[in-house]
């Protein structure tokens, strides 16, 4: 059996798979806000941070790890787990002192992880991916490197506020003594993996690419980027590796407390997006995942580390080899909900309108779908901009907003040079057939939805099975099945309407940014 964890922003979940039976055996999850209210982080982060700071308490993640394993070991015999892998929310960083390695090597199973590790940090809280407080550090890093283009061509992204390098730089400037006392900088993923393995594990390529520090050509930390980021940083990072390379056996704490076998091995953990790519069955180029959430994301496997010339997209490592792109759109559900509320309707009616609005209107009415600041493209929009050629009925406004969201995605993913053969739609709004049909039509590709909701934890379990010598493609054909009747074919009659709408959308966008 193979165990996958996902430590996301709001919860820690685990999925146990049995490869011989081709089944998910058990799942368990801990919601930070609901089950660990003492951390006063109802959505997984500490609210009210100043100047765009968003932090979370790493002790909350450890307490959740004990809790999720308590739940799981109550359901199944964990001695059958051969390999563990996992993923974490990307970019977040944990700063550990020189005690960390000796503490995790000798954990007492009669006590808790939290009680034993609370003295092992040089920074009590961790900046996470929602943090936007490092604008000046991004500029400093880019200047030291001779410009953003150089940072992007080496690391796959321009210097970005939430990325780990700028966050490390801010800490080294604000708390130089604590930075010097930091023995190692971990990501959320490598921190949790290290605790499980009983020794510091390296960061993997997939997640490491979200730091503005990994040189994608060499798959190694880039000396110049490290120097531009913070003093002696190279001494605080283990060499990066692949999440498919097991790093040794599980720590005795977990054997004695939760019944794991002595021979159970641990892989380096990766980021939630790379793990999701695996769990969605999308690790080969040609498949695209669109995740409709608070923010929408568009990600896809890429053979080469091509970078976005406009600097909006990111390149991460693909756990199956090669690379993946990730583009994040801030006005996802935010915008859909704003229009739904403006029209005073529910999701059912919203989706029905998208489906029933006349197909002859496809691409005829333009909306720049931004209700607030957007990151792709980067601009402080205040409200949507519309250019309608027909009477703006509610149904047409909904169609036009959705078309605008997916035209914007199509436009800003062109740098990847891929024509999607299949789009895997996931996230809250993905169940809606009306929305799915518009995605299929705008991209002129079939859309499918998968059975398993937690693609990152499933992806981690599949990484564990692959690291143990199983074939990933076979695993994906068993575990990443589309839900029955979920496939939506594109209406090929609308292909040319969306070709010209894309040109018109770009014209309207360029006139406003
Ligand atoms: C990706 C990103 C988020 C986090 C949290 O760049 O910031 O998707 O990984 O899930």
């Amino acid at each position: 059996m193979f165990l996958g964890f996902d430590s996301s922003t709001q919860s820690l979940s685990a999925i146990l798979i049995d490869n011989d039976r081709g089944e998910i055996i058990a799942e368990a999850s801990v919601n930070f806000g609901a089950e660990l209210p003492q951390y006063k982080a109802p959505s997984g982060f500490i609210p009210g941070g100043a100047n765009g700071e968003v932090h979370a308490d790493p002790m909350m993640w450890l307490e959740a790890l004990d809790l999720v394993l308590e739940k799981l070991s109550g359901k199944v015999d964990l001695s059958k787990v051969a390999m563990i892998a996992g993923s974490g929310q990307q970019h977040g960083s944990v700063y550990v002192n020189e005690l960390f390695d000796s503490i995790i090597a000798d954990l007492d199973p009669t006590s808790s992880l939290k009680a034993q590790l609370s003295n092992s940090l040089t920074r009590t809280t961790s900046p996470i991916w929602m943090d936007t407080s490092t604008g000046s550090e991004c500029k400093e890093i880019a200047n030291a490197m001779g410009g953003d283009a150089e940072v992007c061509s080496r690391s796959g992204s321009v210097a970005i506020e939430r990325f780990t390098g700028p966050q490390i730089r801010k800490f080294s400037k604000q708390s130089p003594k604590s930075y010097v006392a930091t023995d190692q900088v971990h990501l959320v993923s490598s921190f949790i993996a290290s605790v499980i393995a009983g020794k510091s594990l390296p960061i993997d390529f997939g997640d490491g690419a979200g730091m503005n520090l990994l040189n994608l050509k060499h798959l190694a930390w880039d000396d110049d980027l490290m120097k531009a980021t913070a003093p002696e940083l190279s001494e605080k990072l283990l060499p990066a590796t692949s999440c498919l390379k097991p790093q040794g056996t599980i720590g005795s704490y977990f054997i004695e407390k939760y019944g794991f076998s002595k021979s159970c091995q641990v892989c380096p953990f990766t980021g939630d997006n790379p793990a999701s790519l695996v769990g969605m069955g999308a690790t080969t180029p040609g498949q695209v995942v669109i995740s409709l959430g608070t923010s929408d994301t568009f990600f896809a496997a890429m053979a080469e580390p091509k970078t976005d010339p406009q600097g909006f997209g990111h390149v991460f490592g693909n756990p199956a080899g090669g690379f993946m792109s990730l583009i994040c759109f801030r006005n996802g559900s935010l915008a859909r909900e704003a229009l739904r509320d403006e029209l005073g309707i529910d999701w059912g009616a919203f989706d029905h309108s998208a489906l029933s609005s006349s197909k002859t209107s496809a691409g005829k009415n333009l909306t720049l779908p931004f209700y607030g600041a957007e990151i792709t493209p980067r601009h402080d929009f205040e409200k949507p901009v519309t250019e309608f050629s027909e009477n703006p009925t509610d149904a047409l406004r909904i169609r036009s907003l959705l078309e605008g969201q997916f035209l914007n995605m199509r436009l800003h993913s062109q740098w990847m040079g891929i024509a999607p053969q299949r789009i895997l739609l996931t996230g809250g709004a993905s169940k809606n057939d009306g929305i799915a049909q518009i995605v299929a039509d705008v991209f002129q590709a079939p859309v499918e939805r998968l059975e398993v909701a937690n693609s990152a934890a499933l992806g981690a379990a599949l990484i564990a099975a692959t690291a143990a010598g199983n074939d990933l493609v076979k695993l994906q054909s068993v575990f990443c099945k589309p839900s029955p009747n979920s496939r939506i074919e594109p209406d090929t009659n609308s292909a040319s309407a969306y070709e010209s709408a894309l040109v018109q959308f770009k014209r309207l966008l360029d006139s406003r940014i």
Side-chain angles (χ1 to χ4, degrees):
M1 292 190 190
F2 302 101
L3 181 58
F5 287 103
D6 176 47
S7 178
S8 75
T9 315
Q10 306 212 27
S11 58
L12 173 69
S13 34
I15 290 188
L16 183 65
I17 60 167
D18 182 328
N19 189 28
D20 296 334
R21 282 163 53 187
E23 278 172 21
I24 291 178
I25 299 296
E27 290 184 61
S29 175
V30 172
N31 181 286
F32 303 137
E35 293 173 70
L36 299 170
Q38 62 274 30
Y39 290 94
K40 298 194 170 56
S43 303
F45 56 87
I46 303 155
N51 309 317
E53 266 188 10
V54 183
H55 285 218
D57 188 337
M59 293 304 135
M60 177 181 76
W61 301 327
L62 293 184
E63 209 168 331
L65 181 60
D66 265 330
L67 204 52
V68 86
L69 286 172
E70 204 177 300
K71 290 188 188 188
L72 209 57
S73 59
K75 293 185 188 182
V76 282
D77 174 7
L78 293 174
S79 71
K80 299 208 172 72
V81 179
M83 183 82 70
I84 297 176
S87 70
Q89 52 173 310
Q90 294 201 252
H91 318 299
S93 40
V94 185
Y95 300 75
V96 302
N97 61 26
E98 79 290 348
L99 299 175
F100 179 72
D101 270 76
S102 52
I103 296 175
I104 57 175
D106 193 22
L107 287 164
D108 172 5
T110 63
S111 174
S112 69
L113 293 173
K114 181 195 166 195
Q116 297 176 80
L117 280 150
S118 53
N119 290 330
S120 67
L121 303 179
T122 58
R123 194 179 195 182
T124 51
T125 57
S126 292
I128 66 159
W129 66 279
M130 297 166 82
D131 191 295
T132 53
S133 67
T134 61
S136 41
E137 286 75 18
C138 289
K139 285 199 192 91
E140 288 158 7
I141 292 171
N143 287 344
M145 292 297 297
D148 258 331
E150 187 61 25
V151 180
C152 188
S153 80
R154 293 192 194 207
S155 76
S157 303
V158 300
I160 296 279
E161 287 90 338
R162 69 184 190 284
F163 276 41
T164 323
Q167 294 289 345
I168 297 172
R169 179 166 180 81
K170 180 176 160 196
F171 181 55
S172 76
K173 282 164 55 187
Q174 278 190 346
S175 312
K177 281 202 188 121
S178 304
Y179 174 74
V180 169
T182 302
D183 190 55
Q184 265 191 77
V185 180
H186 274 296
L187 292 181
V188 178
S189 57
S190 64
F191 173 66
I192 295 174
S194 301
V195 171
I196 295 175
K199 63 176 184 193
S200 266
L201 294 195
I203 288 169
D204 107 299
F205 303 138
D207 209 11
M211 299 174 78
N212 282 140
L213 290 170
L214 190 77
N215 185 305
L216 294 184
K217 272 190 211 91
H218 306 127
L219 288 179
W221 304 123
D222 185 292
D223 280 335
D224 299 327
L225 283 169
M226 283 192 290
K227 281 191 195 117
T229 299
E232 263 121 58
L233 183 51
S234 63
E235 288 166 26
K236 302 179 195 294
L237 295 170
L238 292 174
T241 188
S242 156
C243 61
L244 291 173
K245 285 213 175 110
Q247 300 289 313
T249 50
I250 189 166
S252 58
Y253 175 92
F254 299 91
I255 300 171
E256 288 168 41
K257 197 162 187 170
Y258 301 113
F260 284 96
S261 137
K262 272 188 185 153
S263 59
C264 173
Q265 298 196 71
V266 185
C267 293
F269 283 17
T270 187
D272 56 355
N273 294 299
S276 220
L277 190 78
V278 176
M280 294 295 295
T283 36
T284 48
Q287 332 235 32
V288 160
V289 180
I290 295 179
S291 170
L292 302 175
T294 312
S295 303
D296 291 341
T297 50
F298 176 104
F299 55 91
M302 289 191 299
E304 297 299 324
K306 230 184 203 184
T307 51
D308 179 359
Q310 286 190 288
F312 302 131
H314 311 299
V315 181
F316 299 144
N318 174 348
F323 300 88
M324 67 178 283
S325 64
L326 180 131
I327 316 170
C328 192
F329 301 85
R330 198 173 165 277
N331 281 269
S333 290
L334 278 178
R336 291 184 287 273
E337 277 164 25
L339 180 59
R340 181 202 59 183
D341 296 345
E342 206 177 305
L343 300 177
I345 56 175
D346 61 16
W347 277 126
F350 188 91
D351 194 45
H352 180 73
S353 295
L355 205 55
S356 65
S357 61
S358 165
K359 283 223 162 189
T360 55
S361 299
K364 278 194 184 151
N365 305 296
L366 298 175
T367 299
L368 301 184
F370 313 114
Y371 278 78
E374 179 51 58
I375 51 178
T376 309
R378 226 169 233 274
H379 189 72
D380 277 338
F381 291 96
E382 276 168 14
K383 55 178 182 357
V385 176
T386 54
E387 201 178 85
F388 271 55
S389 63
E390 293 171 298
N391 179 30
T393 60
D394 288 359
L396 283 183
R397 286 181 65 194
I398 293 171
R399 168 177 278 278
S400 174
L401 177 93
L402 293 168
E403 287 177 346
Q405 290 189 311
F406 302 122
L407 285 168
N408 190 47
M409 266 187 197
R410 189 172 151 183
L411 183 66
H412 288 100
S413 55
Q414 277 177 334
W415 60 271
M416 292 174 57
I418 53 159
Q421 293 151 16
R422 175 170 87 130
I423 295 174
L424 292 149
L425 203 59
T426 182
S430 66
K431 290 175 203 84
N432 305 33
D433 283 346
I435 295 182
Q437 184 67 58
I438 292 182
V439 174
D441 293 349
V442 170
F443 283 93
Q444 287 293 301
V447 166
E448 288 186 335
R449 276 89 32 108
L450 296 194
E451 263 166 4
V452 178
N454 193 341
S455 52
L458 174 64
L462 300 183
I463 289 171
T466 310
N470 294 289
D471 181 48
L472 179 60
V473 176
K474 271 197 204 139
L475 285 162
Q476 287 173 325
S477 69
V478 174
F479 288 97
C480 314
K481 283 205 191 87
S483 320
N485 308 321
S486 81
R487 189 176 166 104
I488 300 231
E489 295 295 339
D491 172 8
T492 47
N493 292 327
S494 60
S496 62
Y498 286 118
E499 282 299 329
S500 31
L502 191 64
V503 176
Q504 294 309 320
F505 182 89
K506 185 173 183 321
R507 171 195 50 77
L508 185 59
L509 191 61
D510 288 346
S511 73
R512 298 303 172 115
I513 56 178

